[in-house]
Amino acid sequence: MRGLTIYWERCSVCGYHSPVKQCTLFPDLMVDAKCCLLCPKRGVCPKPAWRFEGLVERGVVSPDERRKLLVELLERLEEKQGVPGRRPSRP
Protein backbone atom coordinates (compact mmCIF):
# COMPACT_ATOMS: atom_id res chain seq x y z
CA MET A 1 0.00 0.00 0.00
CA ARG A 2 1.35 3.42 -0.90
CA GLY A 3 1.51 6.35 1.51
CA LEU A 4 -0.68 9.40 1.26
CA THR A 5 0.90 12.23 -0.69
CA ILE A 6 -0.27 15.80 -0.19
CA TYR A 7 0.51 18.30 -2.92
CA TRP A 8 0.56 21.93 -1.89
CA GLU A 9 0.52 24.87 -4.22
CA ARG A 10 3.27 27.43 -4.34
CA CYS A 11 2.87 30.78 -2.57
CA SER A 12 3.07 33.64 -5.08
CA VAL A 13 4.93 35.87 -2.61
CA CYS A 14 7.59 33.73 -0.89
CA GLY A 15 7.68 30.76 -3.27
CA TYR A 16 7.33 28.05 -0.62
CA HIS A 17 5.04 25.10 -1.20
CA SER A 18 2.40 25.29 1.52
CA PRO A 19 -1.38 25.57 1.91
CA VAL A 20 -2.44 28.71 0.03
CA LYS A 21 -5.57 30.78 -0.47
CA GLN A 22 -6.44 33.45 -2.99
CA CYS A 23 -5.59 36.99 -1.84
CA THR A 24 -8.58 39.31 -1.47
CA LEU A 25 -6.82 42.52 -2.51
CA PHE A 26 -4.77 40.95 -5.31
CA PRO A 27 -6.87 38.11 -6.82
CA ASP A 28 -4.02 36.99 -9.08
CA LEU A 29 -1.89 36.04 -6.02
CA MET A 30 -2.08 32.85 -3.99
CA VAL A 31 -0.71 33.43 -0.48
CA ASP A 32 0.16 31.26 2.48
CA ALA A 33 -0.73 32.24 6.05
CA LYS A 34 2.71 33.72 6.82
CA CYS A 35 2.73 36.04 3.81
CA CYS A 36 -0.87 37.08 4.41
CA LEU A 37 -0.14 37.99 8.03
CA LEU A 38 3.01 39.93 7.08
CA CYS A 39 1.38 41.80 4.19
CA PRO A 40 1.79 45.60 4.53
CA LYS A 41 -1.73 46.08 3.09
CA ARG A 42 -3.37 43.82 5.71
CA GLY A 43 -4.67 46.85 7.65
CA VAL A 44 -6.79 47.97 4.71
CA CYS A 45 -7.79 44.50 3.52
CA PRO A 46 -11.58 44.06 3.83
CA LYS A 47 -11.40 40.29 4.31
CA PRO A 48 -7.92 38.75 4.61
CA ALA A 49 -7.51 35.29 3.09
CA TRP A 50 -6.01 33.96 6.33
CA ARG A 51 -7.81 35.08 9.49
CA PHE A 52 -7.24 33.73 12.96
CA GLU A 53 -10.27 34.18 15.16
CA GLY A 54 -11.09 32.91 18.59
CA LEU A 55 -7.50 32.29 19.61
CA VAL A 56 -7.47 35.00 22.24
CA GLU A 57 -10.39 36.00 24.36
CA ARG A 58 -10.88 39.72 24.28
CA GLY A 59 -11.11 41.26 27.68
CA VAL A 60 -9.48 43.59 30.08
CA VAL A 61 -6.71 41.95 32.07
CA SER A 62 -4.75 43.88 34.67
CA PRO A 63 -0.97 44.19 34.22
CA ASP A 64 -0.44 42.18 37.41
CA GLU A 65 -2.59 39.33 36.07
CA ARG A 66 -0.71 39.40 32.75
CA ARG A 67 2.63 39.24 34.54
CA LYS A 68 1.43 36.35 36.70
CA LEU A 69 0.23 34.40 33.64
CA LEU A 70 3.46 35.05 31.76
CA VAL A 71 5.60 33.87 34.68
CA GLU A 72 3.45 30.74 34.99
CA LEU A 73 3.81 29.95 31.28
CA LEU A 74 7.57 30.52 31.35
CA GLU A 75 7.91 28.20 34.33
CA ARG A 76 6.00 25.48 32.50
CA LEU A 77 8.25 25.88 29.46
CA GLU A 78 11.36 25.68 31.61
CA GLU A 79 10.09 22.50 33.25
CA LYS A 80 9.44 20.83 29.90
CA GLN A 81 12.53 22.01 28.07
CA GLY A 82 15.06 22.46 30.84
CA VAL A 83 16.33 25.77 29.48
CA PRO A 84 20.10 26.03 30.16
CA GLY A 85 21.55 29.21 31.56
CA ARG A 86 18.42 30.25 33.39
CA ARG A 87 18.58 30.69 37.10
CA PRO A 88 15.91 28.92 39.15
CA SER A 89 12.74 30.89 39.73
CA ARG A 90 12.16 32.33 43.16
CA PRO A 91 9.33 30.97 45.32
Side-chain angles (χ1 to χ4, degrees), residues 2 7 12 16 30 33-35 42 44-45 53 55 67 78 90:
R2 296 178 64 178
Y7 294 97
S12 301
Y16 287 115
M30 298 297 285
K34 175 185 53 128
C35 291
R42 188 169 173 89
V44 296
C45 187
E53 300 170 356
L55 296 177
R67 181 175 171 81
E78 287 175 1
R90 293 184 250 174

Side-chain angles (χ1 to χ4, degrees), residues 11-35:
C11 176
S12 301
V13 179
C14 68
Y16 287 115
H17 286 82
S18 57
V20 293
K21 291 184 180 180
Q22 186 175 13
C23 179
T24 307
L25 287 177
F26 307 101
D28 56 325
L29 296 179
M30 298 297 285
V31 294
D32 61 6
K34 175 185 53 128
C35 291

